Amino acid sequence: MAKRRTILITGGAGFIGSHVVRRFVRMYPDYHIINLDKLTYAGNLENLKDVEKEPNYQFVHGDICDLEMLRGLFADEGVDGVIHLAAESHVDRSIRDPFVFAQTNVLGTLALLQAAREYWENSESNFPRRFHHVSTDEVYGALQPGEAAFCETTRYNPHSPYSASKASSDHFVRAYHDTYGLPVVITNCSNNYGPYQFPEKLIPLCIHNICEGNPLPVYGKGENIRDWLHVEDHAAAIDEVFHRGKDGESYNIGGINEWKNIDVVKLLVRITDELLGRPVGTSDALITFVKDRAGHDLRYAIDAEKLRTELGWEPSHTFESGLRETVQWYLTHEEWVQHVTSGAYESYYASMYDSSKK
Ligand code: NAD
Ligand code: DAU
């Protein structure tokens, strides 16, 4: 069989990664899509049940920190492109245990860059090479109300161990471009929401707790602001930048959709109660103000003008309808929620792929 363009997607069993894998498997039947994932607590192959049997999809269980394994994978499969999403992604966990964030997000990214560099410098391909690093708006730090949104030239100023590790990985990606000529692109995206998000993050946590009648923990006064984007719009932007972005460039992705946390939680209460058929206001009393997150960034906002003007990308979901669909998805996927909240998926996949469960 003729060689197909082979794309390695890391972290494809996670929230955003599973949407990127699904999109690429369906939209590019001529590509060979490899999903490399360690299956940490955040990785769940149930997220990909609908595409796992497609002939252009392959799952590889492995750790991005394992350079020898990566060297073998690049050579054996003839990897032409990388879309790198594997990471530790939760800010609160990074406050509790920063070291695993440095290990995976910094050293894992470095290992992946090195494997791509070695393989691409020493092999030929008919297909274009590209290393797409998926990063976050948190590298830019925090904005005050009224301050202009982050653009691609905003100075990096990370505050949490998570954002420091992502900023460091971005710098390594740029260094591999500037030093070795690796064909890289970076995207920095705002907060995502949508199906398959692990219920430790604000939106799925609140949906789950409203259903269960548990408290909705709002950090501080709930005045912090995030710029929310539907995960499918993020996947579409990654597709554009991966195929049409310019080497060495970074692109901001965001929804121009800033919300205070307390307003998001109130909206979730209203939508979820309504979809559950409960009287309006039933779950208002669950809202509970708790101790603030240490170093809590006040506001994020993304200026995505470069992506819009250069590549024509626009978000297609509006927040209220996207959120309603998301709540509906969680209500109709009780088994998925039950598996991830009980950890049942971990023991199931651990028995299939014997190592690396933590
Ligand atoms: P997630 O935590 O849901 O998924 C991370 C995935 O990476 C999991 O499948 C996990 O098993 C895998 N993984 C972790 N360590 C690994 C390792 N050492 N080797 C191989 N696989 C490993 O994360 P997410 O929210 O989907 O975020 C994906 C990426 O997008 C991250 O790089 C994150 O920084 C970035 N990002 C996330 C958001 C957001 O709102 N969630 C916004 C902007 C950027
Ligand atoms: O901005 C992009 C980032 O968005 C990504 O890079 C991260 O991977 C992703 O986790 C997300 O980070 P946040 O810290 O913004 O997301 P989280 O859902 O944890 O929190 C959203 C906001 O809600 C934040 O201001 C903290 C607050 N919060 C969060 C939780 C979990 C609460 O008030 N209560 C909570 O229980």
Side-chain angles (χ1 to χ4, degrees):
M1 190 171 46
K3 161 101 172 62
R4 296 173 292 177
R5 189 176 187 196
T6 298
I7 312 297
L8 177 66
I9 300 180
T10 70
F15 165 48
I16 302 169
S18 62
H19 288 272
V20 174
V21 166
R22 180 174 296 100
R23 181 180 178 98
F24 272 69
V25 166
R26 290 204 175 133
M27 292 194 59
Y28 303 104
D30 295 346
Y31 289 3
H32 173 200
I33 304 298
I34 302 172
N35 169 18
L36 171 67
D37 200 297
K38 183 179 172 182
L39 301 181
T40 68
Y41 80 95
N44 180 3
L45 290 175
E46 286 180 44
N47 298 358
L48 289 164
K49 277 254 168 275
D50 52 337
V51 292
E52 67 184 8
K53 295 204 165 57
E54 295 299 331
N56 62 339
Y57 172 72
Q58 180 188 355
F59 173 67
V60 174
H61 184 225
D63 187 336
I64 55 163
C65 300
D66 183 348
L67 182 55
E68 282 312 310
M69 178 277 294
L70 292 174
R71 285 181 173 132
L73 186 62
F74 272 75
D76 293 348
E77 301 295 344
V79 173
D80 301 298
V82 175
I83 305 177
H84 174 37
L85 298 110
E88 289 294 333
S89 69
H90 189 41
V91 173
D92 294 324
R93 283 178 189 260
S94 82
I95 295 167
R96 288 198 297 274
D97 179 11
F99 284 86
V100 66
F101 284 71
Q103 176 70 25
T104 296
N105 298 0
V106 185
L107 296 179
T109 300
L110 182 56
L112 205 54
L113 288 163
Q114 181 64 17
R117 177 192 159 210
E118 288 176 10
Y119 179 65
W120 292 347
E121 279 180 356
N122 295 300
S123 63
E124 305 267 306
S125 175
N126 293 327
F127 300 108
R129 259 82 188 257
R130 168 137 284 178
F131 189 109
H132 182 146
H133 177 58
V134 176
S135 191
T136 172
D137 59 357
E138 300 200 13
V139 298
Y140 298 120
L143 295 166
Q144 291 304 311
E147 219 181 321
F150 302 130
C151 61
E152 288 78 0
T153 52
T154 302
R155 188 172 72 91
Y156 275 31
N157 187 22
H159 297 127
S160 72
Y162 163 70
S163 54
S165 70
K166 292 297 288 187
S168 173
S169 67
D170 291 12
H171 292 319
F172 271 107
V173 173
R174 285 200 185 89
Y176 265 65
H177 173 264
D178 296 351
T179 308
Y180 308 111
L182 199 76
V184 308
V185 283
I186 299 176
T187 46
N188 296 88
C189 188
S190 62
N191 284 64
N192 284 212
Y193 70 96
Y196 299 110
Q197 187 168 30
F198 193 82
E200 63 183 352
K201 309 278 168 70
L202 180 69
I203 288 178
L205 176 79
C206 285
I207 298 170
H208 181 58
N209 286 6
I210 296 166
C211 294
E212 300 287 313
N214 290 330
L216 310 176
V218 177
Y219 298 162
K221 295 188 173 129
E223 297 286 315
N224 302 68
I225 294 170
R226 296 293 182 265
D227 180 354
W228 293 97
L229 182 73
H230 194 283
V231 62
E232 286 169 1
D233 284 324
H234 187 186
I238 288 173
D239 188 343
E240 286 297 335
V241 174
F242 178 76
H243 286 104
R244 301 198 296 118
K246 288 195 202 120
D247 276 352
E249 294 283 318
S250 63
Y251 297 84
N252 281 354
I253 308 171
I256 316 171
N257 180 42
E258 291 182 53
W259 284 73
K260 282 186 185 168
N261 291 340
I262 185 64
D263 295 332
V264 172
V265 174
K266 284 181 177 165
L267 182 58
L268 281 169
V269 165
R270 183 163 61 72
I271 294 173
T272 311
D273 274 349
E274 187 191 315
L275 290 175
L276 286 170
R278 295 174 178 167
V280 177
T282 305
S283 302
D284 288 349
L286 298 176
I287 296 176
T288 309
F289 293 95
V290 299
K291 187 170 179 284
D292 208 352
R293 174 184 277 174
H296 197 173
D297 285 336
L298 179 62
R299 172 178 167 239
Y300 304 141
I302 275 282
D303 176 350
E305 195 55 18
K306 176 174 173 181
L307 186 57
R308 197 180 69 77
T309 51
E310 288 189 14
L311 302 182
W313 173 87
E314 301 268 2
S316 64
H317 292 78
T318 61
F319 190 51
E320 295 224 7
S321 68
L323 208 56
R324 180 171 285 273
E325 281 168 25
T326 301
V327 174
Q328 190 70 59
W329 186 89
Y330 280 90
L331 297 184
T332 52
H333 288 75
E334 273 175 33
E335 194 180 53
W336 183 91
V337 174
Q338 202 270 329
H339 285 174
V340 297
T341 49
S342 71
Y345 71 101
E346 292 193 271
S347 44
Y348 174 71
Y349 288 112
S351 65
M352 285 171 72
Y353 305 105
D354 41 57
S355 59
S356 88
K357 283 285 159 201
K358 300 195 351 175

